[in-house]
Amino acid sequence: MNNDNNSAASNRKNSAEVNNDVSPDLNNMDALSLYLKSTAGSRKGRAIPPLENWHPENVADMDLVIKENGEWWHEGGEMTRESLVSLFATILWKEENEGIVEYFLKTPVQKIRIQVEDAPLLINDVGIVNEGSESWLEFTTTTGDVVRLDDEHQIILKAYNAKDRNTTDHTTSDVEIDADSYQGKIPETQIRPYMPVRNGLTALIGRNTFYHLTEIGELKEQDGKVILTLQSGGNSYQLSMPAD
């Protein structure tokens, strides 16, 4: 009897392992949601899974777009369930090949290609966190990522072209933030502030959050520019903006 039970248990285990090797069709919103919830395992809260250790060969496409304002749209309709968006954001993955950038929702068995108009993440809050004798600027995204301003997570300025959905990287030393264009008064090329977050993903710093930064930091006019100096972790970080 014990041998039969052990054999049956072994068969069930082998069957489960085989099933894990078969790529399910996850390019369906409900199927992907159920899969992620069922495979969450012992991860607590909003833990990011080890995406860098997953190498699925199966690739599919989903009609999912992360808009330039941070909204997630599926099959032409906005995704309003914040819990679902946050869940999917934990498996966001970026790949670049010969200058072509693609974004995926990545699982151990499948990569699901999605479209991203600008940045895949959006920062909508910033605050000051005091630890001992040091103060840090801490940023939070709409999907729950938390990142501090430091040498590895500096604010980056990019030119964003709303017409062709294309961005060109620049350094903080040679690009100025155009406040008018950042408010959306100029419909095409804009200069926007971003921060690196995780796994090569960047987050757009939302307008209200950026304005809050100007209140937190020190503003000084120099050579026809307004220099915004931010203090975080005992270091200073500067951004240049045109003077009025």
Side-chain angles (χ1 to χ4, degrees):
M1 178 66 71
N2 289 337
N3 288 338
D4 290 341
N5 289 338
N6 291 337
S7 177
S10 177
N11 288 338
R12 287 194 298 271
K13 179 180 179 181
N14 291 336
S15 175
E17 290 175 348
V18 171
N19 287 338
N20 284 336
D21 290 336
V22 177
S23 297
D25 183 10
L26 300 179
N27 57 327
N28 172 279
M29 186 68 66
D30 292 334
L32 179 59
S33 176
L34 289 174
Y35 177 83
L36 292 178
K37 292 176 181 178
S38 67
T39 57
S42 60
R43 296 202 306 271
K44 302 296 183 182
R46 190 187 171 277
I48 304 298
L51 304 179
E52 66 279 4
N53 297 329
W54 297 348
H55 307 286
E57 296 182 358
N58 188 284
V59 180
D61 291 277
M62 177 183 287
D63 183 7
L64 192 155
V65 180
I66 301 178
K67 298 287 190 178
E68 61 179 291
N69 61 1
E71 294 174 351
W72 289 49
W73 285 61
H74 178 244
E75 296 182 346
E78 183 182 356
M79 294 174 59
T80 56
R81 288 176 54 191
E82 295 182 5
S83 60
L84 188 60
V85 171
S86 294
L87 177 65
F88 287 173
T90 63
I91 58 169
L92 274 171
W93 184 253
K94 175 184 175 182
E95 293 185 4
E96 184 171 355
N97 185 20
E98 297 182 353
I100 299 176
V101 176
E102 292 186 309
Y103 292 92
F104 301 88
L105 299 180
K106 188 179 183 183
T107 76
V109 296
Q110 192 174 43
K111 289 191 305 183
I112 303 164
R113 186 183 292 107
I114 65 172
Q115 302 301 312
V116 177
E117 290 185 350
D118 187 12
L121 302 171
L122 175 66
I123 290 172
N124 69 337
D125 187 47
V126 61
I128 299 175
V129 176
N130 297 310
E131 288 186 355
S133 60
E134 291 187 342
S135 296
W136 297 85
L137 283 181
E138 190 170 88
F139 298 76
T140 305
T141 71
T142 56
T143 48
D145 289 284
V146 177
V147 61
R148 292 180 176 181
L149 177 62
D150 58 23
D151 291 345
E152 295 183 357
H153 302 88
Q154 296 190 44
I155 297 176
I156 306 164
L157 304 183
K158 291 183 181 180
Y160 171 71
N161 193 308
K163 184 176 181 180
D164 59 15
R165 310 298 184 192
N166 188 31
T167 58
T168 303
D169 289 346
H170 297 278
T171 64
T172 55
S173 61
D174 62 8
V175 177
E176 302 170 355
I177 292 179
D178 185 333
D180 285 342
S181 66
Y182 191 55
Q183 292 180 61
K185 296 179 181 179
I186 300 176
E188 294 184 2
T189 302
Q190 306 169 19
I191 300 300
R192 293 180 167 186
Y194 304 81
M195 285 188 74
V197 179
R198 55 176 165 88
N199 293 330
L201 301 176
T202 59
L204 170 68
I205 299 177
R207 184 188 309 137
N208 291 337
T209 302
F210 181 74
Y211 288 160
H212 191 196
L213 281 178
T214 65
E215 298 172 350
I216 293 176
E218 178 185 353
L219 291 171
K220 180 176 66 175
E221 187 170 347
Q222 180 179 329
D223 298 329
K225 300 177 182 179
V226 175
I227 309 298
L228 172 62
T229 302
L230 301 171
Q231 304 290 337
S232 184
N235 294 317
S236 297
Y237 303 91
Q238 292 187 337
L239 293 173
S240 297
M241 298 173 289
D244 293 335

